[in-house]
Amino acid sequence: MRLERTLEALARKAIHAALAVEVDPIVRATADAKHGDFQLNGLLPFAKREKKNPRELAEAVARELEKESAFEKVEVAGPGFVNLRLAPSWLGAELEAHALGTVVEAAERREKIVVDYSSPNIAKQMHVGHLRSTILGAAVVNLFRAVGHEVLGDNHLGDWGTQFGLLIVGMRRFGSDEALQQTPIEELERVYKLATAAAKEDESVASEARAELAKLQSGDAQNRALWQRFIEVTRKSLDVLYARLGVTFDLWMGESFFDPMLAGVCTLLQERGIARHDEGALCIFFAELEAAPADLKKVKEPFIVQKRDGAFLYASTDVATALYRDRELKTTRNVYVVDARQALHFKQVFAVAKLLGLPQRFDHVSFGSVLGEDGKPLKTRDGKAITLASLLDEAEARAAARIREEELDVPEEEIAATARAVGIGAVKWADLKQNRTSDYVFSWDKLISFRGNSGPYVQYAHARVLSIFRKGGLEKANYLGGAVLLETPEERELGKRLAAFGDVVHAAAETSQPHLLCDHLYDLARVFSGFYEACPVLKADGPTRESRLGLAAATAEQLRCGLTLLGLTAIERM
């Protein structure tokens, strides 16, 4: 169901009938319900362009809209806005025709999209800095799929580069095979720190690390075997963490996969006149390229794709990745879920891709930082980055404690599993409900709350709706297709919320902004609470009872579907 699109079609028809012109109208929900349910915009720019009185045009369009059964009231406001109040009978019929708003229509133009997210480094623990990319990326993948796109989620691992020379030397000098077996990531981090410190103090160690790296990159069997072991033990650790988060990937194409292509990329950039050598390094100077974006032409520093010592950089790897996704994966859109600090880098990568003639759409889904309550990046008391595993442990423990405090309807033997779903869901919701471009403050007290805009509140709302059907001995699925009566203000408000679901999912997918869906689910849960208090469901009679059960079933189904898209568990009993 796409309510706003349906209303825009009616508005387009009315504008053509009234003004004999084609204008793309914009219909959006009103900020204040006193002015109606929706507002028609778009006439003011047309009136200005045609040098006509916008209010007169709006009044002519309003007269046409009054002929439509969709509207209970149409009125012109201000300089030329048209406020629309929906007819409850029409809205009820629309909900009935579209499974009470629980079905999301496919996008008109389906795409093949790769979403690049999470991307931790081999031999390192995932920490809170990886939280947003992982959670946001997984939600974006789900949203794209919900509107019908073909999507590949890619974990672009940091599994290549200079750190492996130090790791190889470190394992031979300081490493413990037993520790690598038992606590692999912790051992690799310990070894790396020791090797790095040794290399700073002793040039011979640094020289040895460079030599071992060169051997690795040239295919030395022993170094390749050790490198492969680093990858395998890290993957096992990552798989455990991703399983806890409920996050999966279709591809694991790390930097090493693209390494054989980098020399060819550099040659191609030179042949196309995009890159040239400067002081021994291969550089791109956007100011020298006529087809480069205007803002990049102002950047004085070169975009370096190969250092003077022959080493490749993220620039060359990311360009190779874009070429591969075009030639081999045949994508139409490439989405990179990476923090905002990398904005310039990705703007440059995307510009190079366009200069090479790649036809895909490139999107940088950027995001801000997770801050502690002191306003600084979230860290432990001793200043270290908080590991993602310890963060999830704490969330589960706090959720279990809160479930007991609230005396929720959860048997003791189910508390651990429920706390896992609630705790991890709370972490995800706290992240996803933010506008992703903003930093946000991580607060434990607000996180595990069954009140207000939180994951546990929406999960509890879902369980509360299902309790109606349990109490009545009824099946929710049997009530998703009946007649809908919107007779009371509370029924009408709930109907409007349910009808908005499809538009919200499409908007969240197209803009890669999961917080739009969070806002909808929270509002839906809040509005349902008001409906349930004012409108008896099981105690109602006849068609009213059937309709209210349908509204309850649709609410539960939208909450379930929305929570699932965001990566949260829709808990059935709390």
Side-chain angles (χ1 to χ4, degrees):
M1 185 174 182
R2 300 289 302 278
L3 180 60
E4 287 183 358
R5 189 169 64 172
T6 300
L7 296 177
E8 285 174 351
L10 293 176
R12 188 175 293 106
K13 173 185 169 186
I15 292 170
H16 187 268
L19 309 178
V21 295
E22 297 292 338
V23 173
D24 281 331
I26 301 171
V27 175
R28 294 292 181 266
T30 56
D32 188 340
K34 290 188 299 184
H35 302 307
D37 300 319
F38 290 88
Q39 187 175 83
L40 166 61
N41 303 319
L43 291 174
L44 269 67
F46 172 74
K48 184 177 181 181
R49 187 171 66 249
E50 298 296 319
K51 298 181 179 179
K52 295 184 178 180
N53 186 316
R55 191 173 177 90
E56 290 180 2
L57 298 182
E59 288 171 347
V61 172
R63 286 192 292 272
E64 292 297 325
L65 287 169
E66 286 172 345
K67 300 175 184 178
E68 298 288 346
S69 62
F71 305 112
E72 180 180 73
K73 185 178 181 181
V74 179
E75 61 180 359
V76 177
F81 301 112
V82 182
N83 291 331
L84 309 168
R85 189 173 298 280
L86 299 180
S89 58
W90 179 86
L91 179 58
E94 284 292 300
L95 285 167
E96 182 181 344
H98 294 89
L100 296 173
T102 59
V103 177
V104 178
E105 297 175 16
E108 294 177 359
R109 178 174 174 266
R110 300 189 186 189
E111 298 186 77
K112 184 174 183 181
I113 306 172
V114 63
V115 180
D116 186 325
Y117 65 107
S118 194
S119 306
N121 290 317
I122 291 296
K124 291 184 179 180
Q125 293 189 75
M126 287 181 71
H127 55 77
V128 71
H130 296 105
L131 179 69
R132 302 207 75 181
S133 177
T134 304
I135 291 174
L136 276 167
V140 167
V141 167
N142 291 340
L143 287 165
F144 284 153
R145 287 179 176 150
V147 299
H149 297 306
E150 179 184 353
V151 187
L152 296 171
D154 186 7
N155 198 351
H156 189 83
L157 284 173
D159 64 354
W160 201 244
T162 56
Q163 73 269 30
F164 287 100
L166 286 165
L167 271 173
I168 290 168
V169 170
M171 278 304 300
R172 290 173 180 164
R173 287 183 175 228
F174 313 112
S176 163
D177 195 65
E178 182 180 352
L180 190 62
Q181 292 273 8
Q182 295 179 354
T183 54
I185 306 302
E186 291 86 343
E187 174 65 0
L188 289 174
E189 287 189 333
R190 183 187 72 85
V191 163
Y192 182 71
K193 288 177 183 176
L194 289 172
T196 301
K200 288 180 179 178
E201 294 176 2
D202 188 343
E203 175 55 32
S204 67
V205 177
S207 178
E208 183 183 353
R210 289 192 292 270
E212 294 299 338
L213 177 64
K215 287 166 62 178
L216 171 66
Q217 293 177 337
S218 63
D220 177 79
Q222 287 186 333
N223 282 10
R224 282 291 171 114
L226 196 53
W227 169 76
Q228 192 63 46
R229 191 175 180 194
F230 298 157
I231 292 175
E232 289 170 0
V233 297
T234 304
R235 273 293 305 268
K236 287 180 181 178
S237 175
L238 292 175
D239 286 343
V240 170
L241 196 52
Y242 287 134
R244 289 183 71 181
L245 287 167
V247 172
T248 60
F249 300 90
D250 304 289
L251 303 171
W252 289 72
M253 303 184 78
E255 295 170 4
S256 63
F257 179 84
F258 300 98
D259 184 67
M261 310 174 197
L262 302 188
V265 167
C266 291
T267 300
L268 177 64
L269 291 172
Q270 292 176 83
E271 290 175 347
R272 296 286 187 87
I274 297 170
R276 65 174 176 82
H277 282 97
D278 182 72
E279 297 183 7
L282 185 62
C283 306
I284 296 173
F285 292 90
F286 288 102
E288 300 174 359
L289 302 174
E290 184 178 345
D295 54 346
L296 288 183
K297 287 185 178 182
K298 299 175 184 178
V299 178
K300 296 180 180 180
E301 294 78 13
F303 190 45
I304 304 174
V305 292
Q306 187 176 23
K307 294 165 67 175
R308 68 182 67 186
D309 62 3
F312 300 110
L313 300 164
Y314 287 130
S316 42
T317 301
D318 286 339
V319 172
T321 303
L323 286 165
Y324 178 85
R325 289 171 178 169
D326 173 58
R327 295 169 179 174
E328 303 298 328
L329 300 182
K330 309 295 184 185
T331 57
T332 58
R333 196 193 312 185
N334 295 332
V335 176
Y336 299 78
V337 186
V338 183
D339 75 73
R341 291 172 296 180
Q342 302 300 318
L344 176 59
H345 170 79
F346 280 106
K347 183 177 288 188
Q348 291 171 321
V349 170
F350 300 166
V352 174
K354 292 303 178 185
L355 289 168
L356 288 170
L358 301 191
Q360 297 107 316
R361 171 177 164 180
F362 289 86
D363 293 334
H364 176 203
V365 175
S366 63
F367 52 85
S369 300
V370 183
L371 306 177
E373 295 190 71
D374 59 358
K376 298 178 181 178
L378 190 63
K379 292 183 178 181
T380 61
R381 289 182 179 178
D382 60 0
K384 296 179 181 177
I386 296 175
T387 66
L388 199 45
S390 66
L391 182 76
L392 300 183
D393 289 343
E394 179 77 6
E396 290 184 27
R398 286 175 178 259
R402 187 59 62 88
I403 288 169
R404 290 189 172 95
E405 288 170 13
E406 298 280 346
E407 298 181 345
L408 299 182
D409 181 22
V410 181
E412 182 64 32
E413 65 272 16
E414 295 179 14
I415 286 182
T418 303
R420 186 176 307 116
V422 170
I424 293 176
V427 170
K428 290 184 176 184
W429 186 276
D431 197 299
L432 294 171
K433 77 174 182 179
Q434 314 293 332
N435 184 321
R436 59 175 168 77
T437 59
S438 303
D439 297 341
Y440 77 92
V441 175
F442 189 95
S443 168
W444 281 115
D445 291 336
K446 294 178 181 178
L447 192 78
I448 312 292
S449 173
F450 291 91
R451 297 167 183 82
N453 191 352
S454 67
Y457 173 80
V458 178
Q459 288 173 314
Y460 177 75
H462 174 260
R464 185 185 182 196
V465 180
L466 291 185
S467 71
I468 297 171
F469 294 91
R470 283 196 299 272
K471 185 176 180 181
L474 306 171
E475 288 292 330
K476 180 192 77 174
N478 295 338
Y479 293 90
L480 289 173
V484 180
L485 304 176
L486 304 178
E487 297 172 332
T488 69
E490 292 81 10
E491 288 171 318
R492 177 192 176 95
E493 187 64 22
L494 182 56
K496 282 197 312 181
R497 287 292 188 277
L498 291 169
F501 184 63
D503 287 317
V504 169
V505 172
H506 275 268
E510 181 54 36
T511 62
S512 297
Q513 294 189 106
H515 79 273
L516 299 176
L517 181 54
C518 291
D519 291 346
H520 172 80
L521 297 179
Y522 173 61
D523 284 344
L524 179 61
R526 183 181 53 78
V527 168
F528 180 84
S529 181
F531 157 81
Y532 188 62
E533 289 176 9
C535 302
V537 178
L538 293 175
K539 292 182 180 180
D541 297 317
T544 297
R545 182 179 189 269
E546 296 298 297
S547 172
R548 289 177 180 175
L549 282 167
L551 292 171
T555 299
E557 183 60 15
Q558 281 196 15
L559 291 173
R560 183 201 65 78
C561 180
L563 286 166
T564 301
L565 289 176
L566 295 170
L568 280 76
T569 301
I571 298 170
E572 297 195 0
R573 186 187 297 271
M574 287 176 72

